[in-house]
Amino acid sequence: MIDDGTGLLTIGEPARTTGLSVRTIRYWSDEGVLPPVARSAGGYRLYDAASAARLELIRTLRELGLGLGDVHRVLSGERTVAEVAATHAAALDAQIRSLKVTRAVLSSVARRGSGAEETTLMNRLARLSAGERRRIMAEFVEETFHGLDTADPEIRERMRDTALNLPDDPTPEQVDAWVELAEMVQDPRFRAQMRGAAEFNAADRGQDAPRGASMWFFKRLVQLVGQARERGVAPEAPEAGQVLRDLLGNADRAAVLERMKASHNPRLARYRELLGVLKGAPVSAHEEDFAWVVAALEAHTDR
């Protein structure tokens, strides 16, 4: 405090009481967030009690990570502390999500022993925006079902709604799954496989076919074949013929066999498996059940 009866403080006093350096306070003063209330005869900056309170608020906001621009807007009354805090919290949430992705990518790179090229690819795919992910999936679904008006809309919508996304706090395994999926759905060979499966699905359905019938067949297959496998029924056993009759009725078995081979293969099973990993709830692709049906059809189709 200067001894002139004004009660004003030189810059050293607030520095002493707050523990901040004189250099920091001078910088904030130069930036306009803590202007001096007056100058001494020698040109030194002078502050009052209100300046001390303002200084405490500045320090608090800065410790919370706000930039001097936001601090200035709060102090000038342009924005409230609550408004600035909400904006900054949202920004921190985005930064935290980015850091979590970075951590997962680095963990995956370390675990896999990735080289420079793979690391670059993983990082790029992991950081695609939500809009970019939606575009990739929309293109994939459009190519799969384009012109197939009789394809089951339930399957089409399930694929369209599939979020090729990373959780907010992904594990290294989920980063691996997302990278593999993103590459898979952009692979022309895999797209051709999915297109072939969709074409068979459309060929099996008439215009008046009920929505979700394809899903019903899938559930029925898993149920009947699962029970048969639990009883130890081999695909070539006579009892397997009854399972096929219960499942397919009078359908053309040769045609069904062709469709089964097209729509159920290791790559499509891997696609479903990766989706499960991303969702955090790995699901069975029931490939053993489908393989059983294929083997049973091969054994019983001419009977």
Side-chain angles (χ1 to χ4, degrees):
M1 181 180 298
I2 62 174
D3 189 15
D4 62 358
T6 63
L8 297 180
L9 310 171
T10 59
I11 199 170
E13 184 62 21
R16 185 185 64 79
T17 57
T18 61
L20 293 166
S21 70
V22 169
R23 181 178 181 180
T24 296
I25 298 175
R26 185 180 296 117
Y27 171 69
W28 290 349
S29 179
D30 291 341
E31 291 297 313
V33 295
L34 188 68
V37 297
R39 292 271 183 170
S40 70
Y44 293 104
R45 307 166 203 243
L46 301 177
Y47 302 93
D48 58 11
S51 299
R54 185 183 182 98
L55 180 58
E56 286 290 353
L57 177 57
I58 295 170
R59 179 170 69 170
T60 297
L61 295 177
R62 292 291 288 157
E63 287 176 348
L64 290 173
L66 272 66
L68 286 178
D70 281 329
V71 172
H72 190 277
R73 282 185 279 273
V74 169
L75 294 173
S76 65
E78 294 179 34
R79 302 189 69 187
T80 66
V81 173
E83 290 171 340
V84 172
T87 301
H88 192 60
L92 282 176
D93 285 341
Q95 185 179 8
I96 289 169
R97 286 193 295 272
S98 178
L99 287 172
K100 287 178 176 178
V101 170
T102 298
R103 179 187 62 190
V105 169
L106 290 173
S107 297
S108 180
V109 166
R111 180 169 52 84
R112 293 159 62 112
S114 301
E117 183 176 345
E118 185 181 32
T119 300
T120 300
L121 174 64
M122 290 176 61
N123 187 56
R124 179 177 63 80
L125 291 177
R127 295 185 184 283
L128 289 176
S129 69
E132 289 170 323
R133 287 189 291 267
R134 285 193 297 269
R135 176 187 57 77
I136 289 172
M137 197 61 194
E139 290 177 353
F140 174 55
V141 174
E142 173 60 23
E143 184 171 326
T144 298
F145 290 101
H146 180 71
L148 302 180
D149 296 334
T150 59
D152 194 330
E154 181 83 8
I155 294 178
R156 185 196 303 262
E157 290 176 14
R158 281 178 178 238
M159 285 186 62
R160 183 180 293 118
D161 294 339
T162 298
L164 291 186
N165 206 351
L166 278 170
D168 286 344
D169 188 7
T171 65
E173 291 74 20
Q174 287 172 321
V175 168
D176 290 347
W178 156 241
V179 170
E180 187 175 343
L181 259 178
E183 293 182 284
M184 182 179 288
V185 300
Q186 295 176 89
D187 180 358
R189 291 172 298 178
F190 179 70
R191 289 191 174 199
Q193 283 183 315
M194 290 296 287
R195 174 68 181 185
E199 288 173 347
F200 278 129
N201 177 265
D204 286 338
R205 290 170 47 83
Q207 292 289 348
D208 57 347
R211 177 189 179 92
S214 301
M215 299 304 298
W216 177 88
F217 174 77
F218 171 81
K219 293 176 182 177
R220 179 71 169 159
L221 183 151
V222 170
Q223 177 188 28
L224 290 176
V225 176
Q227 292 171 350
R229 291 178 59 223
E230 286 181 0
R231 297 195 304 271
V233 177
E236 64 277 5
E239 190 178 346
Q242 183 59 51
V243 176
L244 293 177
R245 286 189 290 273
D246 292 341
L247 176 64
L248 304 175
N250 296 321
D252 183 340
R253 292 188 180 182
V256 172
L257 177 59
E258 184 181 7
R259 285 158 173 72
M260 291 286 291
K261 287 184 175 180
S263 59
H264 298 283
N265 56 63
R267 209 150 184 228
L268 292 178
R270 180 59 177 166
Y271 169 79
R272 292 186 286 269
E273 181 183 351
L274 292 170
L275 288 177
V277 173
L278 272 184
K279 294 174 182 177
V283 295
S284 171
H286 296 288
E287 285 309 297
E288 292 183 355
D289 293 330
F290 284 103
W292 189 97
V293 173
V294 169
L297 284 169
E298 290 175 335
H300 298 273
T301 293
D302 296 331
R303 298 182 186 180

